[in-house]
Amino acid sequence: SQELEQSPQSLIVQEGKNLTINCTSSKTLYGLYWYKQKYGEGLIFLMMLQKGGEEKSHEKITAKLDEKKQQSSLHITASQPSHAGIYLCGADRMNNDMRFGAGTRLTVKP
Amino acid sequence: DAGVTQSPTHLIKTRGQQVTLRCSPKSGHDTVSWYQQALGQGPQFIFQYYEEEERQRGNFPDRFSGHQFPNYSSELNVNALLLGDSALYLCASSLFRTARSYEQYFGPGTRLTVT
């Protein structure tokens, strides 16, 4: 099994709807990162969470870290077609050695 | 300021052949990490180069090797290609002295297809 499990694997939502993507770690989380990837392209950094209970927002995207549950959630409010892509969570293992989940593919229907 | 660049964009090779992928880090960065991303999966760490030496290595066979040049650019070499090596190969650059992985900047990747 993967060190980082993401759910759901894929998500189709209507434009304007809210959605949540989850990332659960099998190991203690020290740093949790969210990236977005357009199909077949490089990763774009979204947010980093380090402390339990930490919550960060960027535009309509909010990420939270529950250290006790070793989980993080990414919430998108009022989704837009520009939000479509693959969302990946990553966790530090060592300096610059990051482990990734398998990703959640988001489709936003106009 | 150019970000991380990779070449070529796409590559098609035959089983048993060898391939070299190239990466130029973001200006000011001295560390290059390589990842392999199979279709539908998250990136898997291959190795990291700093000061022209391999500093860390993931669970990849010796067929995967690399090099870093004095200008910090890097190459990934894969020998005796297998069908399973088909993937998107991502390069990420960063500053070695920082332990904060979010400061990794990823390139657009090289899509390798092995037939």
Side-chain angles (χ1 to χ4, degrees):
Chain A
S1 61
Q2 293 229 359
E3 187 171 320
L4 292 172
E5 295 282 349
Q6 286 188 238
S7 62
Q9 289 183 314
S10 65
L11 196 52
I12 302 174
V13 300
Q14 202 69 38
E15 182 177 358
K17 295 294 185 182
N18 302 336
L19 63 104
T20 299
I21 298 169
N22 295 301
C23 175
T24 302
S25 175
S26 60
K27 297 187 177 182
T28 302
L29 282 173
Y30 296 106
L32 191 289
Y33 307 81
W34 285 99
Y35 285 86
K36 180 183 176 184
Q37 183 179 31
K38 290 286 190 180
Y39 180 73
E41 298 181 8
L43 278 60
I44 299 169
F45 170 75
L46 295 175
M47 270 172 274
M48 178 188 73
L49 304 166
Q50 285 190 304
K51 302 174 185 176
E54 187 172 11
E55 180 175 323
K56 287 188 177 178
S57 293
H58 175 67
E59 297 179 345
K60 294 184 178 180
I61 301 176
T62 300
K64 300 178 185 179
L65 178 63
D66 186 332
E67 206 169 41
K68 289 182 181 178
K69 292 183 180 179
Q70 296 180 178
Q71 280 183 345
S72 178
S73 61
L74 186 82
H75 184 77
I76 299 177
T77 304
S79 58
Q80 301 168 357
S82 61
H83 287 128
I86 300 168
Y87 289 81
L88 292 154
C89 65
D92 275 328
R93 195 154 183 257
M94 292 181 183
N95 181 32
N96 290 337
D97 172 9
M98 184 177 291
R99 300 301 166 106
F100 288 91
T104 295
R105 183 181 294 274
L106 172 64
T107 303
V108 180
K109 289 187 171 183
Chain B
D1 176 27
V4 181
T5 60
Q6 292 186 242
S7 63
T9 307
H10 295 86
L11 205 50
I12 299 175
K13 290 286 188 177
T14 305
R15 271 182 305 176
Q17 286 188 317
Q18 179 263 343
V19 69
T20 297
L21 310 182
R22 296 176 176 82
C23 172
S24 290
K26 178 179 168 63
S27 178
H29 283 181
D30 56 11
T31 302
V32 173
S33 300
W34 286 92
Y35 293 82
Q36 180 196 65
Q37 186 178 24
L39 201 60
Q41 298 296 317
Q44 300 289 320
F45 176 75
I46 302 175
F47 45 53
Q48 180 187 86
Y49 276 84
Y50 169 67
E51 289 188 335
E52 302 178 47
E53 290 186 8
E54 183 182 296
R55 297 289 173 161
Q56 296 178 53
R57 190 179 183 92
N59 188 26
F60 278 81
D62 292 344
R63 297 186 299 109
F64 290 77
S65 64
H67 188 77
Q68 186 179 35
F69 299 94
N71 67 353
Y72 307 119
S73 66
S74 176
E75 288 182 348
L76 164 66
N77 301 294
V78 187
N79 296 322
L81 284 167
L82 304 173
L83 295 179
D85 295 332
S86 296
L88 180 69
Y89 287 84
L90 294 164
C91 166
S93 75
S94 60
L95 284 171
F96 187 78
R97 63 176 176 272
T98 64
R100 304 181 70 180
S101 296
Y102 85 93
E103 289 174 355
Q104 284 191 111
Y105 290 80
F106 283 83
T110 293
R111 171 72 61 188
L112 172 65
T113 302
V114 182
T115 62

